[in-house]
Amino acid sequence: LEYDAVTVPRASNGSTGLTLTSTGAQGWAHYADGSLALTVRPVGQGWAYVWGAELGLEDRRRVLGDLLWAHRTRPEVEVIPEEAGTLRHVEAHQLGREGRYVWCAINWGTSGRGALAAHDLPPQRYRVREVSTGKVLPAPTGARLWEFDQLRQGIPVEFRSQEPVLLLLEQAA
């Protein structure tokens, strides 16, 4: 497991947080004074992490993103903001199997525009519908079916605050 150590604040209030002692674990994140904030060690076929920090949203997002990247893990559905630095509070999930998938996204922050992009779908053509209305969303070409490469680029979405986005993706026959 390769990583780049990062510096994190002790906590959202800047003063608390545990200092960890490494007993054979690698340091992943540290505090500004150089003491360990997050350690990792192999356990069986996986990894164990010990956090000593209460991270704020941005630091937690950065550190967890680094961990996922190090393990070559990507989200099934990626949120791509139209404007950089926005939509930081949107979470998205994929549910389903056998050619029928629901993408669910919720924005816990302020409204904004962006896209939902596929990372974990079989490479097929799909019909995309809004769950609440049943309306078929046309592909960028105007076609009723989306090509897999188009889904990887993203489906344009208006993310309203506290309002879920539900899309049904059905594999074409």
Side-chain angles (χ1 to χ4, degrees):
L1 180 67
E2 294 182 21
Y3 66 95
D4 293 320
V6 295
T7 301
V8 295
R10 285 203 171 263
S12 54
N13 68 8
S15 63
T16 59
L18 301 173
T19 298
L20 303 175
T21 303
S22 175
T23 56
Q26 294 178 306
W28 185 284
H30 59 275
Y31 301 118
D33 66 6
S35 59
L36 292 173
L38 170 64
T39 62
V40 58
R41 74 171 6 185
V43 175
Q45 295 181 0
W47 300 90
Y49 296 89
V50 177
W51 292 83
E54 174 200 331
L55 301 177
L57 180 64
E58 288 305 313
D59 290 309
R60 180 175 43 235
R61 193 177 175 96
R62 180 171 46 102
V63 170
L64 288 175
D66 288 348
L67 292 174
L68 291 172
W69 183 259
H71 289 289
R72 312 288 191 264
T73 302
R74 294 180 71 163
E76 294 173 319
V77 181
E78 181 181 4
V79 176
I80 303 171
E82 191 172 90
E83 186 179 323
T86 62
L87 302 179
R88 294 177 182 195
H89 304 286
V90 176
E91 62 177 278
H93 305 278
Q94 176 177 298
L95 309 164
R97 63 180 179 273
E98 299 175 6
R100 292 182 57 122
Y101 305 91
V102 171
W103 286 358
C104 174
I106 185 80
N107 181 5
W108 301 106
T110 57
S111 298
R113 293 198 52 78
L116 292 174
H119 287 302
D120 191 29
L121 284 175
Q124 303 289 328
R125 297 168 70 202
Y126 292 85
R127 176 175 292 110
V128 179
R129 300 178 199 220
E130 291 179 340
V131 171
S132 62
T133 64
K135 176 185 170 190
V136 174
L137 300 180
T141 60
R144 290 177 60 84
L145 295 177
W146 287 69
E147 301 294 334
F148 180 69
D149 287 340
Q150 293 170 325
L151 291 172
R152 290 180 58 162
Q153 296 298 312
I155 300 171
V157 174
E158 175 72 33
F159 295 97
R160 292 185 181 93
S161 183
Q162 310 293 316
E163 195 172 303
V165 173
L166 296 170
L167 300 177
L168 173 64
L169 288 78
E170 299 172 295
Q171 204 171 68

